[in-house]
Amino acid sequence: MYSIVNLISAWAIPVIIVFIPLYAAYRKVPVYESFVDGAKEGFDTAIRIIPHLVGMMVAISVFRASGAMELMLGWSRPFFEMIGIPSEVLPLAILRPITGAGSLAFTTDLLQQFGPDSMVGRIASTIQGSTDTTLYVITVYFGAIGIRKASYALKVGLISDIIGFAASILICYLVFA
């Protein structure tokens, strides 16, 4: 199973990178011009999201500096350890929906501490790739385009993150244990 996953991982990105421009050329889409137009729109979007990005960064800093994250982890750690989830990856369940950079930094620390081939390292890496920065996306991107009613997107996003977290742990135990 591990060799199949490794083979798919090695070839997925190169195949996608080659397939998309070839398919666009087949459909007679002006690939380079479309890319340049998208880059121009991306710059305008980047300017519009800066205020929302700053607000989100302040909120993340307050959440971590206030000790709220450690308080939440302290309450939930015994339950998760009882059902076999390594307590070292619990902060990812909180950080990942909030911040991509913060969760990546935490994952990097776990990989340095436990190693990339450890179960903790594999679970952390899988969580990093299987979940999204839901609160960040809703705050920054929805705010940039003026969407104010994001309650359904928030619910679905957080449920997806919970499922991604659980599935990451289950799949790592199935593939690597």
Side-chain angles (χ1 to χ4, degrees):
M1 180 66 123
Y2 179 76
S3 62
I4 293 170
V5 172
N6 198 21
L7 182 66
I8 291 170
S9 297
W11 282 99
I13 299 296
V15 167
I16 290 170
I17 289 173
V18 170
F19 174 75
I20 291 173
L22 287 177
Y23 183 71
Y26 170 76
R27 301 277 311 230
K28 298 189 179 14
V29 173
V31 177
Y32 182 73
E33 291 80 5
S34 297
F35 174 78
V36 170
D37 289 342
K40 287 179 189 174
E41 290 176 21
F43 184 74
D44 293 338
T45 301
I47 297 299
R48 282 196 314 266
I49 68 170
I50 288 174
H52 303 283
L53 186 60
V54 170
M56 188 66 183
M57 295 302 214
V58 168
I60 292 165
S61 297
V62 168
F63 178 68
R64 292 182 78 186
S66 70
M69 185 173 80
E70 285 302 319
L71 184 65
M72 289 175 66
L73 288 173
W75 289 340
S76 62
R77 188 170 274 129
F79 169 75
F80 286 109
E81 287 178 350
M82 183 179 68
I83 60 173
I85 297 173
S87 62
E88 294 85 3
V89 299
L90 289 180
L92 282 179
I94 296 171
L95 284 175
R96 184 67 180 147
I98 299 171
T99 170
S103 63
L104 183 59
F106 187 80
T107 300
T108 302
D109 290 344
L110 287 177
L111 293 176
Q112 288 173 348
Q113 184 178 359
F114 295 97
D117 291 330
S118 67
M119 187 57 79
V120 170
R122 288 176 171 163
I123 290 172
S125 298
T126 307
I127 290 169
Q128 191 72 15
S130 302
T131 57
D132 200 1
T133 54
T134 303
L135 297 174
Y136 174 85
V137 168
I138 289 174
T139 301
V140 174
Y141 297 117
F142 280 31
I145 60 174
I147 295 175
R148 298 287 175 234
K149 296 180 181 180
S151 61
Y152 291 116
L154 178 63
K155 290 173 192 171
V156 170
L158 291 177
I159 289 170
S160 298
D161 287 334
I162 292 168
I163 292 169
F165 182 78
S168 297
I169 294 166
L170 178 65
I171 288 170
C172 283
Y173 277 120
L174 288 174
V175 172
F176 301 115

